[in-house]
Amino acid sequence: MTTMTRAKGATALPINTILSGDCIEAMNSLPENSVDLIFADPPYNLQLKGDLHRPDNSKVDAVDDHWDQFNSFAAYDSFTRDWLKAARRLLKPDGAIWVIGSYHNIFRVGSALQDAGYWILNDVVWRKSNPMPNFRGKRFTNAHETMIWASKSEGAKYTFNYEALKALNEGVQMRSDWVLPICNGGERLKDDNGDKAHPTQKPQSLLHRVIVGSTNPGDVILDPFFGTGTTGAVAKMLGRDWIGIEREESYRKVARRRIDDIRAFDGTALQVSTSKRAEPRVPFGQLVERGMLRPGEMLVNTRGQSAKVRADGTLVGDGVTGSIHQVGAKLEGAPSCNGWTYWHFKREGKVVPIDVLRQQIRAEMQ
Amino acid sequence: MTTMTRAKGATALPINTILSGDCIEAMNSLPENSVDLIFADPPYNLQLKGDLHRPDNSKVDAVDDHWDQFNSFAAYDSFTRDWLKAARRLLKPDGAIWVIGSYHNIFRVGSALQDAGYWILNDVVWRKSNPMPNFRGKRFTNAHETMIWASKSEGAKYTFNYEALKALNEGVQMRSDWVLPICNGGERLKDDNGDKAHPTQKPQSLLHRVIVGSTNPGDVILDPFFGTGTTGAVAKMLGRDWIGIEREESYRKVARRRIDDIRAFDGTALQVSTSKRAEPRVPFGQLVERGMLRPGEMLVNTRGQSAKVRADGTLVGDGVTGSIHQVGAKLEGAPSCNGWTYWHFKREGKVVPIDVLRQQIRAEMQ
DNA sequence: TGGCCCGATGAATCAGAGC
DNA sequence: CGCTCTGATTCATCGGGCC
C-alpha cells in the first residue's frame, strides 16, 4: 500500500500509508509545505468521574482510554500547541485544516489555532440526528460536536468547492450546521471480539462533506489522529491521497484492512449524507417562546371550553395540566387528541386554529 | 422603574434598572454573591476587512461599531478575563452564566471561562432558521451562533428546569441545538430614523428558553452588555428581576422605553412543569405505620418473586433484609433500584404498585 | 418473507438529602 | 466534609428472535 512521491524538497512524502508513533514526531519527519488538507480528531480531554447508568440500569461504556487523559488544561494546551505547530509546518501555503471537538476541548483548540496564525474560515456544527440522551436529566442532550475550518494564514487561497456542496444540499447554499447520524450499524467497525474497534469512530458522511468541500482529486490529506482510518477510507473513495498517523497498533491494523477493502469512487456507504429529512417537528412550546402566543392567554375548543397557556408550553384546563394533546384528550374523554387542530386562539374577534401558527413556522424553516 | 433591595451585605442591589458606564466598573460596584444568572452578549471582535456587498451591489450593513474594535487577540483576551472575573464575583455560589458569541470570539471566551474557574455545563448552538447568506460563495453560510452555559464552579448546584424544557420541546428532552429565527419584523427595534436601533439584537425566543430553563421566578438576572434590553424585557415578562449595564445612552433609551411597555405574565402562567424530585419524600415505613400495608404481607415484583414486609418498613427476601430499594437491587443484581415502582401488593386479586399508596399520602399532605 | 417486539448502545465532564 | 441511603432518569436506531 505504500507509495512514495517527491515533494518540492528532498524528502519523500509517504502517501497512502499509516505511520506509527507519536503524531508530532511523525509530522516533523515529513517535508514542509507538502500537504493540502489536515483533518484532525484529537483527544477531547473528557473529565469523567464515576460510572453512569441508563435508567434501565445498564452501564454506559465510557471513553476512559489512556490517550484521553491529561492532568490539566495547561498540559492539554501544551499538547495542542505542539501538534498544531507541527501540522502548520506541513501545510502548503494555501492548505487548510479541520479540527473536531466538543465543549471540553474545542475552545482550547480554537484559541490555539488563532494564536498559531491559522485563520478561521467557519466553525461548522455537526448536529447528530441520534445522539445519546442525557440520562439523568441534568443538562441538555449533548447533541452536537463542533468542527473548526481554518486556512494556514489570513489571505490564503484555500479550496472551497461551493457548487459541489450546493449540489449536495439540494441546490441550496451549504450552511454551517450539518445534520448527520452518528456512526453505527454496519459502518461501525468491530474488533475480533465483536466489540467496537474504536470508541469514537466518526461517520464517513462527515468526512465526505469535508473532503468534497475543501479538496480536489489528487490532493494529499493528512490525519494525525487516524484511529480506524475514516479519513483515509473516504479520501481513497474520493480519489484523494492520504497519510495517517496512529500510535495504537490495534487501530492501525483495523484501518489497514478497512482501507484495503475499499475501491475508489465506491460511494454506497455515503448515501446517508444526502438523505432527505422528514418534515420538521414543531413543538407547541415554540409558539410561546416566539411570542406568537402569550403565557396566560386562553385557547378555546369548538365547544367554547378554554385552557390557559403556560410559559413552558403546557396548558391548564378542566383541572388538568399537560400538553395541548393531553388536555384536549381529557376534555373530550378521548384516548388521544390532535391538539394542533383542536385548539384555537382569538385575534381581532376571530377564532383561529393554532395550526396556522405552526404552518407559519414551517414556512420559515422550509 | 428603579427598585432597590437589600442584599445580604450592606450594599443595595439596583434591580430592574439600567446602569450606565463601563460594565466592569459597574459590576465591581455591586455586592458579591448577589446574582442568580448572568446573560452576556459581549463584543464579537469581528475583523471585517473593507465593505461587504451583495450580488446586486447593495452594501451589507456590517457590525463595525467602535465598541467592537480590538487591536489584537491579547487585548480581547484581557478584556474578556476582566469582565468574566467581575461577573464571577457577583454570582451566587449556585448561580450560572450564559455567554453568546461566534467563531470570531467564542473560543477566546470559552477558554477564559474555563481558566477563570467556571465549569462548562453545555455549549448550545443557536441554529438560525433564516440567516444571512454568504454572498460571495467563499465559505459556508454562517448559520449559527454558539452559547456557553457554565456554573460558577465545578460541583455547584445550578438551576435546570428539565421538565419545563422538555414540555417546551413537546415531551422530548431539550437538545443542545436550538432552531430559532433571527430577530426581525416587528420585534426588531428601530431608532428615530427608522434604522435598526442595535446591530445585533437577539430574539426574545432565545432568552425565553434560557430564562425558563435556568432560573426561577423572582431570580435576579444581570446582563452586562445590555444593548436594547432583550434580557430585561424577557426577564420582566417571565417574572424575574433584572439588572442591565450599557455604555451607550442611545441603547439605554431604547431599552428603557421597550421594557416600560412590557407587562409581566400572571403568576399561574409562569408556573412550569416540575420534576418528581421536587415532590415531598415519603418513607416507605409510613405505609406500614398507617396500616396501608400489614407487617407480614408479601410484596411481588413483575417476575413473581416476593419479599415480606416487616414492622419497621424493611423487607426480607432472597436472603436479604433492607429497604425496598436494597432488596430490589439485590434481586435484580443491579447497582440501584427504585423500590417504589419495582414492588407491588395484591388487593382483591389485582396487583398494584406500591407507588399508588405513596401518591395517596402525598395527596393528603399537599 | 414479513412484521412485531425486545435488547443493546452511542465522545457524558449526569444527585441530593440527611446525619 | 464525608459517609450513607433514597430513588429519579432516555432517544434513535439497529439487529436478532419469534410468530
Side-chain angles (χ1 to χ4, degrees), chain B residues 123-319:
Chain B
D123 60 336
V124 172
V125 170
W126 169 28
R127 197 261 185 186
K128 302 178 187 181
S129 53
N130 48 352
M132 182 164 36
N134 185 293
F135 295 112
R136 288 178 174 158
K138 304 300 290 182
R139 301 184 186 190
F140 299 97
T141 306
N142 208 340
H144 74 277
E145 292 186 30
T146 300
M147 294 186 289
I148 302 175
W149 175 41
S151 60
K152 183 168 180 176
S153 55
E154 185 180 357
K157 293 185 185 126
Y158 55 90
T159 298
F160 184 58
N161 293 317
Y162 175 77
E163 292 293 340
L165 290 166
K166 189 172 172 179
L168 269 180
N169 198 33
E170 200 104 314
V172 182
Q173 71 177 201
M174 188 71 81
R175 300 169 36 121
S176 60
D177 57 320
W178 301 357
V179 180
L180 295 170
I182 61 175
C183 179
N184 57 12
E187 190 185 326
R188 187 86 196 205
L189 297 169
K190 310 289 187 188
D191 62 19
D192 297 334
N193 300 324
D195 300 322
K196 55 190 177 191
H198 192 280
T200 64
Q201 185 183 340
K202 295 292 174 288
Q204 294 189 175
S205 56
L206 196 71
L207 271 297
H208 183 100
R209 202 173 284 188
V210 166
I211 292 175
V212 166
S214 54
T215 66
N216 293 311
D219 279 0
V220 176
I221 303 170
L222 171 79
D223 186 335
F225 307 99
F226 203 57
T228 46
T230 306
T231 302
V234 180
K236 181 175 178 183
M237 278 184 213
L238 291 173
R240 275 72 168 171
D241 288 322
W242 54 271
I243 302 169
I245 306 174
E246 175 52 50
R247 278 203 310 209
E248 308 281 334
E249 167 57 21
S250 60
Y251 297 157
R252 290 198 301 269
K253 180 181 162 193
V254 173
R256 267 191 295 266
R257 192 168 48 197
R258 171 190 196 176
I259 297 173
D260 282 344
D261 284 349
I262 283 174
R263 60 192 169 83
F265 303 131
D266 66 76
T268 58
L270 294 181
Q271 289 175 0
V272 296
S273 313
T274 55
S275 154
K276 281 189 199 166
R277 290 188 184 99
E279 294 182 46
R281 193 171 281 215
V282 176
F284 173 73
Q286 205 167 118
L287 274 56
V288 184
E289 288 175 341
R290 291 175 159 228
M292 301 168 106
L293 293 172
R294 289 176 297 102
E297 185 167 358
M298 302 304 285
L299 300 184
V300 293
N301 64 14
T302 49
R303 297 213 306 265
Q305 296 168 303
S306 63
K308 183 186 287 185
V309 177
R310 303 204 304 178
D312 63 354
T314 56
L315 295 189
V316 190
D318 196 36

Side-chain angles (χ1 to χ4, degrees), chain A residues 216-273:
Chain A
N216 293 310
D219 279 0
V220 176
I221 303 169
L222 171 80
D223 186 334
F225 306 98
F226 202 57
T228 46
T230 306
T231 302
V234 180
K236 181 175 178 183
M237 279 183 211
L238 293 172
R240 275 72 168 170
D241 288 324
W242 54 272
I243 302 169
I245 307 173
E246 175 53 49
R247 279 200 311 202
E248 309 279 334
E249 165 57 19
S250 60
Y251 299 158
R252 290 199 300 270
K253 179 180 162 192
V254 173
R256 267 190 296 266
R257 190 168 51 197
R258 169 190 196 176
I259 297 173
D260 283 345
D261 285 348
I262 285 175
R263 309 180 273 116
F265 303 110
D266 173 8
T268 52
L270 299 172
Q271 288 175 349
V272 67
S273 67

Side-chain angles (χ1 to χ4, degrees), chain B residues 43-100:
Chain B
Y44 280 20
N45 193 27
L46 294 180
Q47 295 144 38
L48 301 176
K49 308 291 175 187
D51 292 339
L52 181 61
H53 294 269
R54 296 187 180 87
D56 65 3
N57 241 1
S58 62
K59 181 168 174 288
V60 173
D61 190 11
V63 178
D64 55 3
D65 303 71
H66 65 86
W67 48 259
D68 202 28
Q69 305 299 311
F70 289 86
N71 291 326
S72 65
F73 285 129
Y76 189 79
D77 290 345
S78 170
F79 163 76
T80 302
R81 275 194 301 269
D82 289 347
W83 79 256
L84 283 177
K85 182 182 176 187
R88 191 154 182 269
R89 186 187 139 268
L90 293 188
L91 275 184
K92 294 179 185 173
D94 292 336
I97 190 170
W98 288 80
V99 190
I100 183 168

Side-chain angles (χ1 to χ4, degrees), chain A residues 47 54 103 132 136 138-139 142 188 196:
Chain A
Q47 294 157 50
R54 297 184 181 80
Y103 68 84
M132 186 164 66
R136 307 299 291 265
K138 302 307 294 180
R139 301 184 180 188
N142 207 340
R188 189 89 193 201
K196 57 189 175 192

